[in-house]
Amino acid sequence: MRTPEEFMKTILDFARKNENIRMVGMEGSRVNSNIPEDSFQDYDITYFVRDREVFIRDNRWLSAFGRIIMMQKPEDMELFPAEEEGYSYLILFDDYTKMDLTLLELDQLEGYLKEDGLRTVLLDKDSRLEREIIPTDQEYHIKKPSARSFDDCCNEFWNLALYVAKGLGRKEILYAIDHLHLMRMELLRMLSWKAGLDYGFTFSVGKNYKFLDKYLPETLWKKLLHTYREDSYEHVWEAMFLCHELFRNTAYECAGAWGYEYPPYDKNVSGFVRHCYEKFG
């Protein structure tokens, strides 16, 4: 695998030599000073160009960055269409360097800079920027929930529990597991609020809560991991009940600290779930 210095030189040298490319931006974890560098980090790069179609018509120019062994172009897909502006290439090279390269027109620069704080500009041929762009992950920091958001999280968690129980009662395990995953997402949200309660709302737990383990007691973390065993009806029932326990305890703690009411959804839904378990479990 090429070193970061070597690959960044390749990215910038290509841009400097190509008159169609006027600016180079960089986003994501490699511009986030709060995330340790490792070999798995993508290079999230944006080229601002005068004419995007020149590049889109023929992929051969991408060979300048290395030999491609896997590539996805979201804008050229039917089953998984693009969700963001621009034209993107998600590329893995034969030395396992990973680059997500996006092409934007120059008139999209303002939107690019406003969209996300975790980005910077590496090359500005025409001196379009009037100030230095300093990346920040502040918009991704955990935020203390309002009383309404707290209630909404509780409502969604316990409402999804109904579907998990129904799926298990009907012996539709994939249906039950799918809704258990959705229910667990609300547990993760509540646990992230606990992390903010314990450590202050001045940090991010990362995409998909990937840094959450750093902020939870070890016993709580181990219990959370146990909720991911889903290879039988018995284990899915156990995982659901453990999710209920973790959510209930965490929500009570947060509600008490913030003076919020812990809503009655738990009591009402738990009775139904227990009924289903006794009858069908």
Side-chain angles (χ1 to χ4, degrees):
M1 181 178 288
R2 285 163 285 184
T3 67
E5 293 76 17
E6 289 171 335
F7 194 66
M8 288 304 304
K9 184 176 186 302
T10 300
I11 290 168
L12 291 173
D13 283 351
F14 182 87
R16 290 188 181 103
K17 294 173 184 176
N18 192 302
E19 284 300 306
N20 195 4
I21 301 171
R22 307 313 300 168
M23 299 183 71
V24 179
M26 189 171 184
E27 312 88 45
S29 64
R30 286 190 178 272
V31 300
N32 189 347
S33 60
N34 294 319
I35 295 182
E37 290 186 12
D38 64 33
S39 60
F40 293 105
Q41 286 178 307
D42 298 349
Y43 293 84
D44 297 306
I45 301 296
T46 297
Y47 281 165
F48 289 89
V49 301
R50 287 174 173 156
D51 185 355
R52 196 167 61 191
E53 293 304 316
V54 172
F55 293 105
I56 294 174
R57 283 197 295 265
D58 190 337
N59 291 335
R60 285 179 294 181
W61 63 277
L62 293 166
S63 64
F65 304 104
R67 190 172 77 85
I68 297 171
I69 60 173
M70 179 64 190
M71 180 165 68
Q72 185 176 94
K73 297 188 290 183
E75 284 76 14
D76 194 34
M77 300 182 78
E78 179 179 82
L79 191 57
F80 306 102
E83 297 179 355
E84 299 178 356
E85 286 192 341
Y87 196 93
S88 300
Y89 305 85
L90 315 182
I91 306 170
L92 180 68
F93 298 99
D94 63 354
D95 65 348
Y96 307 132
T97 299
K98 179 75 164 58
M99 176 172 68
D100 293 351
L101 176 63
T102 301
L103 303 177
L104 290 178
E105 302 281 0
L106 286 166
D107 61 6
Q108 295 174 293
L109 174 61
E110 184 177 355
Y112 169 85
L113 296 176
K114 289 181 178 179
E115 183 180 349
D116 194 315
L118 270 180
R119 50 193 52 185
T120 191
V121 173
L122 305 176
L123 179 65
D124 180 8
K125 292 182 179 179
D126 307 313
S127 300
R128 293 173 179 270
L129 296 179
E130 298 179 354
R131 59 180 178 84
E132 181 182 4
I133 305 300
I134 301 175
T136 174
D137 68 349
Q138 188 170 354
E139 65 189 273
Y140 295 101
H141 288 183
I142 305 167
K143 296 176 177 60
K144 176 185 173 183
S146 65
R148 176 60 183 271
S149 291
F150 179 83
D151 187 281
D152 286 351
C153 177
C154 295
N155 183 284
E156 181 70 359
F157 178 89
W158 291 106
N159 189 61
L160 285 164
L162 300 173
Y163 294 91
V164 181
K166 181 169 68 174
L168 292 172
R170 287 175 170 170
K171 300 300 181 183
E172 298 169 345
I173 195 167
L174 295 183
Y175 177 95
I177 288 173
D178 194 35
H179 285 86
L180 177 62
H181 290 177
L182 296 173
M183 191 184 77
R184 193 191 292 110
M185 289 303 295
E186 297 309 312
L187 170 59
L188 291 170
R189 189 196 308 274
M190 187 64 71
L191 289 171
S192 75
W193 288 341
K194 171 180 167 54
L197 173 64
D198 291 343
Y199 293 94
F201 293 89
T202 58
F203 60 92
S204 166
V205 291
K207 188 176 182 180
N208 303 110
Y209 301 95
K210 61 183 178 180
F211 301 132
L212 186 58
D213 62 314
K214 302 179 187 300
Y215 303 98
L216 296 181
E218 184 177 0
T219 53
L220 181 53
W221 174 248
K222 287 182 177 180
K223 284 186 176 182
L224 174 63
L225 292 182
H226 287 164
T227 71
Y228 286 84
R229 187 171 183 184
E230 304 165 341
D231 57 346
S232 70
Y233 285 99
E234 179 183 359
H235 289 148
V236 177
W237 278 112
E238 291 174 356
M240 177 171 63
F241 285 129
L242 186 51
C243 281
H244 290 182
E245 175 191 328
L246 297 179
F247 187 92
R248 180 182 299 118
N249 294 342
T250 305
Y252 265 126
E253 181 182 354
C254 291
W258 297 324
Y260 295 165
E261 178 185 357
Y262 183 58
Y265 316 126
D266 179 350
K267 178 181 178 181
N268 298 339
V269 171
S270 292
F272 170 80
V273 172
R274 181 59 61 178
H275 167 77
C276 290
Y277 179 69
E278 292 172 353
K279 189 172 182 178
F280 305 108

